[in-house]
């Protein structure tokens, strides 16, 4: 499992933030879960590997 120790701060307009939080809540997800998934998808799309990357079978790709 990834260590969740780093903080990412971003600025977003209040209306988008509210709409995003409402959509996340309606899907029973936290905004952090969704943002982490977006980042993983973006890295994968661009072929970027990272040390804590986990494969579908649960193995760490850096091993």
């Amino acid at each position: 499992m990834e260590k969740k120790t780093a903080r990412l701060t971003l600025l977003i307009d209040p209306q988008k933030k509210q709409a995003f939080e409402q959509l996340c809540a309606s899907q029973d997800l936290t905004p952090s879960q969704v943002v982490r998934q977006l980042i993983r998808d973006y890295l994968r799309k661009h072929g970027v590997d990272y040390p804590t990357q986990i494969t579908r079978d649960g193995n760490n790709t850096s091993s």
Side-chain angles (χ1 to χ4, degrees):
M1 180 55 88
E2 296 174 5
K3 293 181 182 177
K4 297 173 183 71
T5 58
R7 182 178 303 264
L8 175 66
T9 302
L10 61 104
L11 299 176
I12 186 170
D13 70 76
Q15 293 80 16
K16 279 190 190 112
K17 179 179 180 284
Q18 182 179 16
F20 179 64
E21 290 173 337
Q22 289 174 347
L23 178 57
C24 291
S26 74
Q27 297 176 335
D28 198 28
L29 296 167
T30 66
S32 290
Q33 288 172 311
V34 175
V35 170
R36 284 192 297 270
Q37 185 63 53
L38 288 168
I39 292 170
R40 284 191 299 270
D41 291 348
Y42 189 75
L43 290 170
R44 189 177 310 114
K45 175 183 174 182
H46 293 281
V48 177
D49 291 324
Y50 51 96
T52 60
Q53 190 171 1
I54 305 296
T55 62
R56 289 181 191 251
D57 62 6
N59 294 322
N60 188 315
T61 59
S62 64
S63 309

